[in-house]
């Protein structure tokens, strides 16, 4: 298996796993939804989980990998406000590990965006 294909499939697996957790433990994600968004947080939680599944599928299929890479980059950028909100809200937590974990999620978005764009670029170079 080529390095580019491994990178794309690894990113697809990451997104599929993340999407599954939105349905398995939605309450965790509900707390990340900014209050400014209309509707109930659970709708946004399920919608973002579904978006992760769709994006994972697009990344896994060579024919749609290019658009999947762009979708993944946009998805990672789109959840950044939720990660910032979670880090701010975590200041009240008694758990040091939780507070540190939420802070680490914010800068982690940048390498994830770069990974997604690299997958897109590699798929583009193939035609």
């Amino acid at each position: 298996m080529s390095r580019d294909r491994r990178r794309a499939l690894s990113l697809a697996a990451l997104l599929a796993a993340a999407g599954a957790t939105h349905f398995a433990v939605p309450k965790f994600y509900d707390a990340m939804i900014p209050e400014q968004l209309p509707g109930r947080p659970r709708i946004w939680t399920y919608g973002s989980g579904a978006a992760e599944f769709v994006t994972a599928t697009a990344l896994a299929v060579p024919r749609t990998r290019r658009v999947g890479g762009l979708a993944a980059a946009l998805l990672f950028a789109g959840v950044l406000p939720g990660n910032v909100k979670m880090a701010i809200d975590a200041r009240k937590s008694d758990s040091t590990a939780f507070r540190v974990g939420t802070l680490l999620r914010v800068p982690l978005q940048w390498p994830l965006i770069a990974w997604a764009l690299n997958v897109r670029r590699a798929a583009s170079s193939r035609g």
Side-chain angles (χ1 to χ4, degrees):
M1 179 183 311
S2 75
R3 180 180 61 137
D4 290 339
R5 184 167 185 237
R6 267 194 318 274
R7 286 181 177 174
L9 294 179
S10 295
L11 184 57
L14 174 79
L15 282 164
T21 64
H22 281 69
F23 292 93
V25 285
K27 189 174 179 181
F28 174 80
Y29 292 97
D30 290 348
M32 295 173 65
I33 306 300
E35 293 84 16
Q36 295 83 355
L37 291 176
R40 295 179 317 183
R42 185 61 51 93
I43 299 300
W44 289 97
T45 295
Y46 287 157
S48 60
E52 287 175 331
F53 280 132
V54 169
T55 302
T57 302
L59 287 165
V61 177
R63 196 175 70 187
T64 57
R65 190 164 290 152
R66 183 173 187 270
V67 72
L70 179 59
L74 293 172
L75 186 60
F76 292 135
V79 300
L80 186 57
N83 288 333
V84 170
K85 178 189 182 304
M86 188 177 196
I88 291 169
D89 292 349
R91 293 178 302 168
K92 302 171 192 164
S93 174
D94 293 333
S95 170
T96 301
F98 181 71
R99 288 193 311 270
V100 170
T102 60
L103 286 173
L104 292 176
R105 287 175 66 108
V106 175
L108 181 61
Q109 296 309 116
W110 301 116
L112 289 172
I113 291 168
W115 184 5
L117 292 175
N118 284 334
V119 166
R120 180 179 192 270
R121 198 172 301 112
S124 297
S125 69
R126 295 217 179 299

